[in-house]
Coordinates of all heavy atoms in Angstrom, one line a residue:
Q118 N -31.3 -20.1 -45.7 CA -30.2 -19.2 -46.1 C -30.7 -17.9 -46.8 O -30.2 -16.8 -46.5 CB -29.3 -20.0 -47.2 CG -28.6 -21.1 -46.5 CD -27.9 -22.0 -47.6 OE1 -28.2 -21.9 -48.8 NE2 -26.9 -22.8 -47.1
A119 N -31.8 -18.0 -47.5 CA -32.4 -16.9 -48.1 C -32.9 -15.9 -47.1 O -32.8 -14.7 -47.2 CB -33.5 -17.3 -49.1
N120 N -33.5 -16.5 -46.0 CA -34.0 -15.7 -44.9 C -32.9 -14.9 -44.2 O -33.0 -13.8 -43.9 CB -34.8 -16.6 -43.9 CG -36.0 -16.0 -43.5 OD1 -36.6 -15.0 -44.1 ND2 -36.6 -16.5 -42.4
Y121 N -31.8 -15.6 -44.0 CA -30.6 -15.0 -43.4 C -30.1 -13.9 -44.2 O -29.8 -12.8 -43.7 CB -29.5 -16.1 -43.2 CG -28.2 -15.5 -42.6 CD1 -28.1 -15.3 -41.2 CD2 -27.2 -15.2 -43.4 CE1 -27.0 -14.8 -40.6 CE2 -26.0 -14.7 -42.8 CZ -25.9 -14.5 -41.5 OH -24.7 -14.0 -40.9
R122 N -30.0 -14.1 -45.5 CA -29.5 -13.0 -46.4 C -30.4 -11.8 -46.4 O -30.0 -10.7 -46.4 CB -29.3 -13.5 -47.8 CG -28.2 -14.5 -48.0 CD -27.9 -14.7 -49.5 NE -29.0 -15.4 -50.2 CZ -29.2 -16.7 -50.3 NH1 -28.3 -17.5 -49.7 NH2 -30.2 -17.2 -50.9
L123 N -31.7 -12.1 -46.4 CA -32.7 -11.0 -46.4 C -32.6 -10.2 -45.1 O -32.7 -9.0 -45.1 CB -34.1 -11.6 -46.5 CG -35.3 -10.6 -46.6 CD1 -35.1 -9.8 -47.9 CD2 -36.6 -11.4 -46.6
Q124 N -32.4 -10.9 -43.9 CA -32.3 -10.2 -42.7 C -31.1 -9.3 -42.6 O -31.1 -8.2 -42.2 CB -32.3 -11.2 -41.5 CG -33.6 -11.9 -41.3 CD -33.5 -13.0 -40.2 OE1 -32.4 -13.2 -39.7 NE2 -34.6 -13.6 -39.8
A125 N -30.0 -9.9 -43.2 CA -28.7 -9.1 -43.2 C -28.9 -7.9 -44.1 O -28.4 -6.8 -43.7 CB -27.6 -10.0 -43.7
T126 N -29.5 -8.0 -45.2 CA -29.7 -6.9 -46.1 C -30.7 -5.9 -45.5 O -30.5 -4.7 -45.7 CB -30.2 -7.4 -47.5 OG1 -29.3 -8.3 -48.0 CG2 -30.3 -6.2 -48.5
S127 N -31.6 -6.4 -44.8 CA -32.6 -5.5 -44.1 C -31.9 -4.6 -43.1 O -32.2 -3.4 -42.9 CB -33.7 -6.3 -43.5 OG -34.6 -5.5 -42.8
L128 N -30.9 -5.2 -42.3 CA -30.2 -4.5 -41.3 C -29.3 -3.4 -42.0 O -29.1 -2.3 -41.5 CB -29.3 -5.5 -40.5 CG -30.1 -6.3 -39.5 CD1 -29.1 -7.3 -38.9 CD2 -30.7 -5.5 -38.4
R129 N -28.7 -3.8 -43.2 CA -27.9 -2.9 -43.9 C -28.7 -1.7 -44.4 O -28.3 -0.5 -44.4 CB -27.2 -3.6 -45.1 CG -26.1 -4.5 -44.8 CD -25.6 -5.3 -46.0 NE -25.4 -4.4 -47.2 CZ -25.6 -4.7 -48.4 NH1 -26.2 -5.9 -48.7 NH2 -25.4 -3.9 -49.4
S130 N -29.9 -2.0 -44.8 CA -30.9 -0.9 -45.3 C -31.2 0.0 -44.1 O -31.2 1.2 -44.3 CB -32.1 -1.6 -45.8 OG -33.1 -0.6 -46.2
K131 N -31.5 -0.6 -43.0 CA -31.8 0.2 -41.8 C -30.6 1.1 -41.4 O -30.8 2.3 -41.1 CB -32.3 -0.7 -40.6 CG -32.6 0.1 -39.4 CD -33.0 -0.9 -38.3 CE -33.4 -0.2 -37.0 NZ -33.7 -1.1 -35.9
S132 N -29.4 0.5 -41.4 CA -28.2 1.2 -41.0 C -27.9 2.3 -41.9 O -27.6 3.4 -41.5 CB -27.0 0.2 -40.9 OG -25.8 0.9 -40.6
K133 N -28.1 2.1 -43.2 CA -27.8 3.2 -44.2 C -28.9 4.3 -44.1 O -28.5 5.5 -44.2 CB -27.9 2.6 -45.6 CG -27.4 3.5 -46.7 CD -26.0 4.0 -46.5 CE -24.9 2.9 -46.5 NZ -23.6 3.4 -46.4
A134 N -30.1 3.9 -43.8 CA -31.1 4.9 -43.6 C -30.8 5.8 -42.4 O -31.0 7.0 -42.4 CB -32.5 4.3 -43.4
E135 N -30.3 5.2 -41.3 CA -29.9 5.9 -40.1 C -28.7 6.8 -40.4 O -28.6 7.9 -39.9 CB -29.6 4.9 -39.0 CG -30.8 4.2 -38.4 CD -30.5 3.1 -37.4 OE1 -29.2 2.8 -37.3 OE2 -31.4 2.6 -36.8
E136 N -27.8 6.3 -41.2 CA -26.6 7.1 -41.6 C -27.1 8.4 -42.4 O -26.5 9.4 -42.2 CB -25.7 6.3 -42.4 CG -24.3 7.0 -42.7 CD -23.3 6.1 -43.4 OE1 -23.7 5.0 -43.8 OE2 -22.2 6.6 -43.6
I137 N -28.0 8.2 -43.3 CA -28.5 9.3 -44.0 C -29.2 10.3 -43.1 O -29.0 11.6 -43.2 CB -29.5 8.8 -45.1 CG1 -28.8 8.1 -46.2 CG2 -30.3 10.0 -45.7 CD1 -29.7 7.4 -47.2
E138 N -30.0 9.8 -42.2 CA -30.7 10.7 -41.2 C -29.6 11.5 -40.4 O -29.8 12.6 -40.1 CB -31.6 9.9 -40.4 CG -32.6 10.7 -39.6 CD -33.6 11.5 -40.5 OE1 -33.8 11.0 -41.6 OE2 -34.1 12.5 -40.0
K139 N -28.6 10.7 -39.9 CA -27.5 11.3 -39.1 C -26.8 12.4 -39.9 O -26.5 13.5 -39.4 CB -26.5 10.3 -38.7 CG -25.3 10.8 -37.9 CD -24.3 9.7 -37.6 CE -23.1 10.2 -36.9 NZ -22.1 9.2 -36.6

Side-chain angles (χ1 to χ4, degrees):
Q118 291 173 343
N120 223 16
Y121 177 80
R122 288 193 297 271
L123 184 62
Q124 289 175 357
T126 305
S127 179
L128 288 174
R129 284 172 53 216
S130 175
K131 181 181 178 183
S132 176
K133 189 58 66 174
E135 290 173 350
E136 187 177 4
I137 290 172
E138 194 65 23
K139 177 183 176 182

